[in-house]
Amino acid sequence: MKRALALVALGLFSPMIQGAMVPYLPRGACPDAGLLLVIAIGLSLRSAIGGVALTAFIGFVSDLLSGALLGSHAFLWILVFAIARVTSLHVNLHGAFMQMALAASLTAFTALGLASLTSFFGSVGVKELVAPAELLRQTIVNALLAPIAMAVVARLIIRLGNDDGRRVLRLDPRGFAP
């Protein structure tokens, strides 16, 4: 119960803190705190149902605070959660470089997904919504801060829960059977 309340509070306040930092940082230099939190939850939390519920909550909070189409962040971040979770089952993501690569690719995926959803339901084209230089800066910032965010969330889960905070990487043995 303690862990769930702490994660809900973190999910509620991370978009707010990000919104408070935006005016003081150069454009594209503010990390996407909600996205990094969702990736870290996908890598660290053992409960898939709890992770999806928490991810949807964080997405709806981000939708309300950003003025985006209601449900767009929630939808894309549930996909990001699923991709991070499935990737963590097949790839060793304990190193900083692999965490940075995952965060960079999911940042680009989310930006293009949000632009596509906005373009589909609005009258603006994708090219007007995604500036390549700004997307590159955002991807670099998220990639650099991803190992820190993942370590903080993993430690929070370990400290507040009764598990070790790591999901098991399954390595199936290969046989020589014909």
Side-chain angles (χ1 to χ4, degrees), residues 126-142:
V126 174
K127 291 182 181 179
E128 291 88 23
L129 294 173
V130 178
E134 193 173 318
L135 178 60
L136 181 64
R137 280 193 300 263
Q138 182 74 45
T139 302
I140 291 171
V141 168
N142 280 354

Side-chain angles (χ1 to χ4, degrees), residues 31-127:
D32 192 346
L35 178 65
L36 292 175
L37 180 61
V38 166
I39 295 170
I41 288 170
L43 297 179
S44 301
L45 198 62
R46 287 186 185 256
S47 170
I49 295 172
V52 168
L54 183 61
T55 299
F57 172 74
I58 296 168
F60 280 120
V61 168
S62 294
D63 284 331
L64 290 173
L65 293 176
S66 70
L69 295 170
L70 192 59
S72 59
H73 280 97
F75 172 70
L76 286 171
W77 285 357
I78 288 173
L79 290 176
V80 165
F81 172 80
I83 292 169
R85 194 162 173 88
V86 168
T87 303
S88 72
L89 289 175
H90 299 289
V91 178
N92 184 2
L93 293 172
H94 296 297
F97 179 74
M98 292 304 292
Q99 292 173 353
M100 290 168 67
L102 179 68
S105 62
L106 291 176
T107 299
F109 169 76
T110 304
L112 294 174
L114 281 172
S116 298
L117 285 172
T118 304
S119 167
F120 182 74
F121 290 109
S123 62
V124 181
V126 174
K127 291 182 181 179

